[in-house]
Amino acid sequence: MSGDHLLAHCHGDRTGELAGGGAVLDFSVNLAPVAPPLPELSASIPLAPYPSMDGRGVRDFYVARFGLDRECVLATNGAIEGLYLLPRALGLKRVLVPQPSFFDYGRACRLAGAEVIPLALSEADGFAFPGIDELAEALAGCDALLAGSPNNPTGTLIPKELLLALACRFPEKQFIVDEAFIQFTESFPSNSLMPEIRAFRNIVVIHSLTKFYAIAGLRLGAIVAHPSMIERLYGHKEPWTVNAVAEYVASKLPHCGEYEAEVRSIVREGRRQIASGLAGNSAITLYGGAANFFFASVADGLTLDALVAHLRLRGILVRDCRNFEGVLPKYFRFCIRTSDENRRLIEALNDFAESSKQLNAVALEAVS
């Protein structure tokens, strides 16, 4: 089985890994910690007729919620459809992709016949994106940049001004930006590229509704781009990829203003709670945190296996990041949940640090 086989790479959902039927506190999947106030799905949703061929119900949400022009939105079956559509439709040959980042960036490019050029993000810089000169040099010979902002798993943002400057400097290159987690950030919507796409023919935004609205099972998303780009993509897109239930739910999301404010408040306070609660933890180092998750590493002399086992005993799951390309075997990722749930994770991580200290002390005493 090749590394790009569909079943060769494990994604984040780990809820089936703990046996015994006990309660599982799952920090491995980056969804909003509360559910949106949607009506119960019932038999009243018409399932016999075909949905719209182009997912116009999802497109209408983007128009209503973000003030976008209809001709700038292509509805997709989650962000993942857009991610795989773009390299194929644009005929990309060499694509600059940050590492570490979402596995399917590289896979989508390789399946479309494109060479992936890695852009290494440095732990010493907190996994921040390089400046414009370094990026310009890295883009030499590439026809596109494909990156997440915020990036998964590092939780770091690419400055909007940097991307706009690159798009101006290299009008012949495509800048494909995955904004699946942008709604969780403090500065949204001013830090999103979606309002800028009419002025830039070479910027394409991939967006997802599944993370922020906690509806991953429905697969809702869109490509937001200049009308000329959207028209080009329609020449390569399959019909009927958005189902009727997804279109129905999308029609209800514009009325979730109070829910959106609640999610941002929970994430904002959770971000502070976790950063403060782990400030004195000698076993864990935190990175990122711009969205609704943290990237983290275990200290030298400790192992990720020991940490994962420690958490599992407490019914807690985190995302082991060893199968991200360009990641050393010491990194993991966890999302921000409710205050009580965050507290349980903080206590478990601090207990791990304390027990590690005690084990080290015993080991030192034994050899002295």
Side-chain angles (χ1 to χ4, degrees):
M1 184 185 295
S2 73
D4 283 330
H5 188 282
L6 178 63
L7 304 180
H9 182 84
C10 295
H11 286 282
D13 190 351
R14 297 289 184 269
T15 53
E17 291 188 2
L18 291 184
V24 174
L25 188 51
D26 190 0
F27 284 85
S28 71
V29 181
N30 299 332
L31 300 180
V34 291
L38 296 174
E40 288 190 15
L41 302 182
S42 68
S44 63
I45 302 174
L47 298 181
Y50 277 91
S52 65
M53 189 171 64
D54 59 351
R56 70 177 63 107
V58 174
R59 184 183 62 215
D60 289 347
F61 166 80
Y62 280 88
V63 172
R65 175 62 185 84
F66 301 122
L68 300 169
D69 295 329
R70 294 175 63 84
E71 60 268 28
C72 294
V73 181
L74 186 154
T76 58
N77 187 267
I80 201 74
E81 184 192 0
L83 179 58
Y84 278 83
L85 171 63
L86 282 160
R88 181 180 79 245
L90 300 182
L92 300 179
K93 301 302 181 187
R94 298 182 86 239
V95 183
L96 186 65
V97 177
Q99 288 187 354
S101 64
F102 186 42
F103 170 78
D104 286 274
Y105 297 162
R107 182 175 186 265
C109 292
R110 289 187 292 268
L111 291 183
E115 179 184 2
V116 174
I117 308 301
L119 173 69
L121 304 180
S122 170
E123 178 184 30
D125 296 328
F127 299 98
F129 278 75
I132 189 167
D133 291 335
E134 185 176 343
L135 278 170
E137 183 177 350
L139 279 165
C142 295
D143 49 8
L145 167 70
L146 172 53
S149 185
N151 185 44
N152 174 22
T154 63
T156 49
L157 275 165
I158 310 175
K160 178 178 177 178
E161 297 74 17
L162 174 61
L163 290 165
L164 294 178
L166 285 168
C168 289
R169 186 166 173 176
F170 299 103
E172 75 286 1
K173 300 182 189 294
Q174 300 292 338
F175 294 88
I176 303 169
V177 183
D178 179 2
E179 291 191 349
F181 297 100
I182 196 77
Q183 284 178 266
F184 289 105
T185 62
E186 288 286 336
S187 299
F188 182 81
S190 64
N191 58 353
S192 172
L193 290 166
M194 287 192 288
E196 316 298 336
I197 42 82
R198 266 212 175 267
F200 290 87
R201 292 176 179 266
N202 61 335
I203 291 178
V204 181
V205 174
I206 301 172
H207 191 267
S208 170
L209 303 180
T210 63
K211 306 290 194 290
F212 188 78
Y213 296 98
I215 48 174
L218 281 178
R219 316 308 307 143
L220 291 168
I223 293 173
V224 180
H226 190 275
S228 62
M229 174 62 74
I230 297 298
E231 184 66 24
R232 180 177 177 181
L233 294 175
Y234 271 125
H236 297 265
K237 187 185 182 300
E238 298 82 0
W240 297 303
T241 61
V242 178
N243 65 66
V245 178
E247 288 196 275
Y248 172 81
V249 170
S251 72
K252 306 301 178 184
L253 292 179
H255 311 296
C256 292
E258 290 184 5
Y259 166 81
E260 293 182 9
E262 179 187 10
V263 169
R264 290 202 183 89
S265 176
I266 291 172
V267 170
R268 184 185 309 115
E269 293 307 313
R271 193 181 290 125
R272 294 170 184 162
Q273 177 188 13
I274 290 168
S276 173
L278 297 177
N281 189 309
S282 60
I284 304 296
T285 300
L286 297 181
Y287 305 93
N292 64 323
F293 57 91
F294 282 96
F295 195 43
S297 65
V298 295
D300 293 343
L302 304 177
T303 69
L304 185 56
D305 285 333
L307 171 66
V308 170
H310 174 88
L311 294 176
R312 283 181 180 224
L313 288 174
R314 289 156 178 78
I316 296 174
L317 300 172
V318 294
R319 175 65 158 96
D320 183 334
C321 290
R322 278 177 284 200
N323 66 345
F324 280 86
E325 296 178 15
V327 170
L328 295 174
K330 64 176 183 176
Y331 291 100
F332 64 102
R333 189 198 69 200
F334 60 89
C335 67
I336 297 169
R337 296 183 60 88
T338 65
S339 178
D340 286 345
E341 292 168 330
N342 295 337
R343 176 185 50 77
R344 286 179 56 189
L345 177 66
I346 291 167
E347 290 174 354
L349 290 174
N350 285 336
D351 286 346
F352 174 74
E354 186 59 34
S355 63
S356 298
K357 282 182 185 178
Q358 293 173 4
L359 287 173
N360 286 339
V362 170
L364 288 173
E365 184 176 348
V367 298
S368 63

